[in-house]
Amino acid sequence: MRKFDRFTETIIGDHTSEELEAAIACGSTSFYLEGVFDVIDRRQACLPPGWALSHGYQTGEYNPQPPDIPAAINEPILMGFVRVHHGAPHWPIWLWKYDLAAAEAAAARVLGSIKTERKSAAARENGRKGGRPKKTK
């Protein structure tokens, strides 16, 4: 597991200079009494294009396993933890670089695709005309 050391601003484990620059731009994500998604949204704005933050599963450990992210190019980097309230388990926050083509392919698998040539031809034609025809009453 690779993790960001906020005191020395280095990544513990093998890393590239690009990963280190993204981790330093993001900064530490160790927060207490803040929402997980608020922290992710605020830190995501600091990242260079092609990088993303996500949370892992709630855990009581400080040595969580990296999540399986299909669109990730390399192993995610542990950036810190967020504890929402006193006594609650903490959420690990992971930094990862995504492959845009893999992300689009995963989204297409979830959303589905046009299966027949007739439907795809109709979709292309409707796209040229500005979208699906409006329903008439």
Side-chain angles (χ1 to χ4, degrees):
M1 176 182 73
R2 303 183 305 162
K3 73 188 237 185
F4 181 67
D5 182 4
R6 64 185 173 147
F7 298 112
T8 59
E9 291 193 337
T10 58
I11 297 173
I12 299 169
D14 293 337
H15 62 278
T16 64
S17 60
E18 183 184 18
E19 290 173 331
L20 183 59
E21 288 174 17
I24 291 172
C26 176
S28 174
T29 58
S30 294
F31 291 94
Y32 179 62
L33 297 177
E34 289 197 41
V36 176
F37 297 109
D38 295 334
V39 170
I40 288 174
D41 289 344
R42 195 169 55 244
R43 291 297 177 184
Q44 183 72 43
C46 302
L47 291 175
W51 290 88
L53 287 173
S54 61
H55 63 81
Y57 295 107
Q58 283 184 336
T59 179
E61 305 172 6
Y62 282 99
N63 196 11
Q65 294 300 314
D68 181 30
I69 303 170
I73 292 176
N74 290 330
E75 179 186 5
I77 301 166
L78 180 64
M79 294 301 293
F81 296 92
V82 175
R83 182 171 274 181
V84 178
H85 55 81
H86 182 69
H90 47 267
W91 297 81
I93 306 296
W94 299 91
L95 173 69
W96 51 282
K97 183 174 174 98
Y98 61 87
D99 179 11
L100 188 57
E104 288 174 349
R109 281 192 299 275
V110 171
L111 297 174
S113 62
I114 299 172
K115 303 285 187 213
T116 66
E117 183 57 39
R118 183 180 65 85
K119 286 184 180 180
S120 62
R124 280 193 302 274
E125 185 62 30
N126 286 336
R128 286 188 206 108
K129 293 179 182 177
R132 293 186 68 171
K134 303 290 182 220
K135 289 186 178 181
T136 57
K137 292 185 180 182

